[in-house]
């Protein structure tokens, strides 16, 4: 859908967005601040899906906002300049002939990233003019455009698997006047033709780091990605740095949010168990574990790996952890030293034991990842000594190519 930008001034909306991010302490980098003020999001995000139906609805009811339509325009402008993700594509659909209004069914296959997460990621990478930048899974190209604005013309490359999204993003980048290349290819392979890169950013979560990404990282370079587990509840962010001498150091930490996993990666969900848990939370028993706070990211990250198959229902009133494949759950009591458990798997007992191990290990918040073994043999440790928490990252899976 072509977007008529004649007579449109969205600078005040960008300024308000930047002001919110700055006041919240999220945005601190002056170069990124300038890029956010400069890049016109309405060109990169000319439409947006809004979900109409509630959780659990099947099929899902959507409404497509067309930024060029007068009846949609204000809602669309407000949406693309707030801090949330913008939903752009259902089921890998072509993006050049979408019709506004009600839409039924399908799942989202591409979206822009939650804005504070984009800001934090780009700041962690330390972008500067003259750096060669690679974006993996850039979707509509918002973070790619911001990075290219900072690094300079011709230095930023995006690798996008979906052919429709790759063409859509390149067309919009060109309309913006941003000189960046969008390549249609498998992001897991990086892009060897323009390697090495000083900064690599993955907009997709991966179970382990593809060796090609590390190989294409220049001396003095940084790589940032989400490490995806089977639960969306406790994501991990991995920052990889290559020294000027070529030595690799990789640090993993828990985060409140992460990027969606690579295509074909199946997350666990607590949704199907919600009604049953409300009807029967389980039998009460004493517990020695006070529910850890949500921001104990170092612990929850460990739980994602060493108590696998669990997912948190953040919509529940009390802390609720579900093992959907084992038909088991735990509901923490209201601070009275009890917990309710249900099913053959004592979910809370696993968390009690794991929390004790985490405390014995020194309550680590960061973990070292050894990437020398390649895909599928990447070891994680909280540190030296017999009480250290350790595990191996799962291997990459083969993802079939989409059919245009």
């Amino acid at each position: 859908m072509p977007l008529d930008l004649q007579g449109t001034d969205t600078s005040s909306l960008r300024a308000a967005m930047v002001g919110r991010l700055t006041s919240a302490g999220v945005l601190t980098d002056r170069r990124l601040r300038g890029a956010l003020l400069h890049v016109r999001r309405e060109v990169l995000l000319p439409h947006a899906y809004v979900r109409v139906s509630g959780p659990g609805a099947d099929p899902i009811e959507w409404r497509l906002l067309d930024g060029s339509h007068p009846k949609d325009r204000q809602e669309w402008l407000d949406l693309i300049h707030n801090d949330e993700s913008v939903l752009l594509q259902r089921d890998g659909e072509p993006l050049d002939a979408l019709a506004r209004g009600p839409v039924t069914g399908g799942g989202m296959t591409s979206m822009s990233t939650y804005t504070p997460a984009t800001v934090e990621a780009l700041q962690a990478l330390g972008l500067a003019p003259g750096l060669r930048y690679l974006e993996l899974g850039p979707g509509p190209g918002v973070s790619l455009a911001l990075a290219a604005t900072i690094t300079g013309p011709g230095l930023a490359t995006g690798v996008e698997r979906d052919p429709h999204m790759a063409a859509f993003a390149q067309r919009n980048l060109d309309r913006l006047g941003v000189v960046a290349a969008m390549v249609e290819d498998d992001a897991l392979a990086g892009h060897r033709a323009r390697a090495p890169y000083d900064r690599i950013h993955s907009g997709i979560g991966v179970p382990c780091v593809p060796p090609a990404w590390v190989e294409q990282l220049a001396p003095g370079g940084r790589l940032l990605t989400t490490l995806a587990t089977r639960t969306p509840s406790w994501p991990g962010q991995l920052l990889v740095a290559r020294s000027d001498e070529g030595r690799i150091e990789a640090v993993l930490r828990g985060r409140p949010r992460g990027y969606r996993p690579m295509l074909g990666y199946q997350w666990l969900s607590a949704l199907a168990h919600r009604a049953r848990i409300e009807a029967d939370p389980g039998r009460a028993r004493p517990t020695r574990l006070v529910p850890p706070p949500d921001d104990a990211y170092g612990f929850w990250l460990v739980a994602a790996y060493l108590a696998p198959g669990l997912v948190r229902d953040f919509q529940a009133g009390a802390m609720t952890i579900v093992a959907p494949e084992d038909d088991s759950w735990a509901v923490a009591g209201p601070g009275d030293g009890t917990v309710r458990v249900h099913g053959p798997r004592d979910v809370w007992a696993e968390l009690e034991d794991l929390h004790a191990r985490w405390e014995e290990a020194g309550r680590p918040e960061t973990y070292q990842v050894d990437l020398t073994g390649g895909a599928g043999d990447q070891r994680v440790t909280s540190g030296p000594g017999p009480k250290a928490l350790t595990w191996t990252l799962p291997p990459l899976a083969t993802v079939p190519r989409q059919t245009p």
Side-chain angles (χ1 to χ4, degrees):
M1 52 184 70
L3 186 60
D4 181 9
L5 300 173
Q6 289 263 262
T8 300
D9 182 5
T10 56
S11 59
S12 61
L13 291 171
R14 294 195 298 277
M17 177 183 68
V18 166
R20 289 194 309 272
L21 294 166
T22 302
S23 297
V26 175
L27 177 59
T28 58
D29 183 272
R30 64 176 181 81
R31 292 192 181 102
L32 183 54
R33 183 179 186 276
L36 284 162
L37 290 170
H38 175 75
V39 172
R40 292 177 293 155
R41 298 171 68 84
E42 67 272 18
V43 178
L44 299 171
L45 307 169
H47 66 268
Y49 282 100
V50 176
R51 180 167 176 152
V52 176
S53 54
D58 187 16
I60 299 172
E61 299 293 328
W62 311 93
R63 182 164 56 92
L64 182 71
L65 301 178
D66 178 351
S68 66
H69 196 284
K71 291 185 177 180
D72 291 346
R73 191 166 185 79
Q74 192 57 56
E75 182 181 359
W76 163 76
L77 283 173
D78 291 342
L79 178 64
I80 68 172
H81 288 93
N82 73 16
D83 291 341
E84 294 303 317
S85 297
V86 178
L87 310 179
L88 289 163
Q89 184 192 46
R90 293 180 312 134
D91 298 337
E93 66 191 343
L95 296 163
D96 50 3
L98 298 178
R100 67 177 291 267
V103 182
T104 299
M108 286 297 139
T109 49
S110 188
M111 63 192 67
S112 72
T113 301
Y114 170 66
T115 305
T118 296
V119 169
E120 290 175 354
L122 295 181
Q123 287 182 157
L125 285 168
L127 296 176
L131 296 180
R132 296 158 296 179
Y133 178 83
L134 178 64
E135 175 103 4
L136 303 158
V142 174
S143 54
L144 180 63
L146 294 170
T149 301
I150 296 171
T151 61
L155 294 174
T157 304
V159 181
E160 172 60 46
R161 184 184 184 91
D162 182 277
H164 303 304
M165 184 55 69
F168 172 81
Q170 184 68 74
R171 182 169 62 246
N172 292 333
L173 289 166
D174 292 344
R175 294 180 67 224
L176 263 182
V178 172
V179 184
M182 182 70 75
V183 179
E184 181 198 330
D185 207 346
D186 184 356
L188 298 183
H191 187 57
R192 195 171 300 278
R194 302 185 73 180
Y197 303 94
D198 303 299
R199 300 292 186 266
I200 299 177
H201 175 222
S202 171
I204 53 175
V206 288
C208 67
V209 184
W213 296 3
V214 180
E215 293 166 5
Q216 294 171 25
L217 187 63
R222 298 181 196 172
L223 183 163
L224 189 72
T225 186
T226 293
L227 286 190
T229 65
R230 295 193 66 205
T231 173
S233 305
W234 308 304
Q237 185 185 75
L238 183 70
L239 180 61
V240 182
R242 185 188 292 278
S243 71
D244 291 338
E245 295 75 31
R247 185 173 60 85
I248 292 292
E249 180 179 346
V251 178
L252 175 64
R253 65 180 68 242
R255 302 290 293 162
R257 295 203 191 200
Y259 294 130
R260 291 175 64 87
M262 55 190 274
L263 184 69
Y265 203 79
Q266 296 298 312
W267 266 339
L268 296 170
S269 173
L271 185 60
H273 287 75
R274 183 176 293 166
R276 293 178 56 204
I277 295 171
E278 290 176 354
D280 178 15
R283 63 177 180 84
R285 70 161 175 80
T287 177
R288 63 183 186 276
L289 175 62
V290 176
D294 292 345
D295 62 359
Y297 302 126
F299 169 70
W300 292 118
L301 178 64
V302 170
Y305 287 100
L306 298 185
L310 303 184
V311 62
R312 168 104 178 254
D313 184 354
F314 282 100
Q315 303 303 313
M319 180 177 286
T320 301
I321 313 292
V322 185
E325 295 177 333
D326 300 298
D327 197 33
S328 302
W329 57 78
V331 179
D336 61 354
T338 64
V339 64
R340 292 184 177 273
V341 295
H342 170 92
R345 180 175 176 182
D346 192 333
V347 169
W348 200 256
E350 293 182 39
L351 294 179
E352 287 172 328
D353 292 342
L354 186 56
H355 193 268
R357 291 177 57 195
W358 181 66
E359 290 193 318
E360 289 179 351
R363 302 174 65 89
E365 291 297 323
T366 62
Y367 301 85
Q368 301 296 317
V369 184
D370 181 0
L371 300 179
T372 59
D377 192 20
Q378 299 173 2
R379 295 282 296 169
V380 184
T381 180
S382 63
K387 295 183 179 179
L389 297 165
T390 63
W391 64 91
T392 300
L393 296 178
L396 289 168
T398 301
V399 181
R401 290 306 302 263
Q402 290 176 264
T403 301

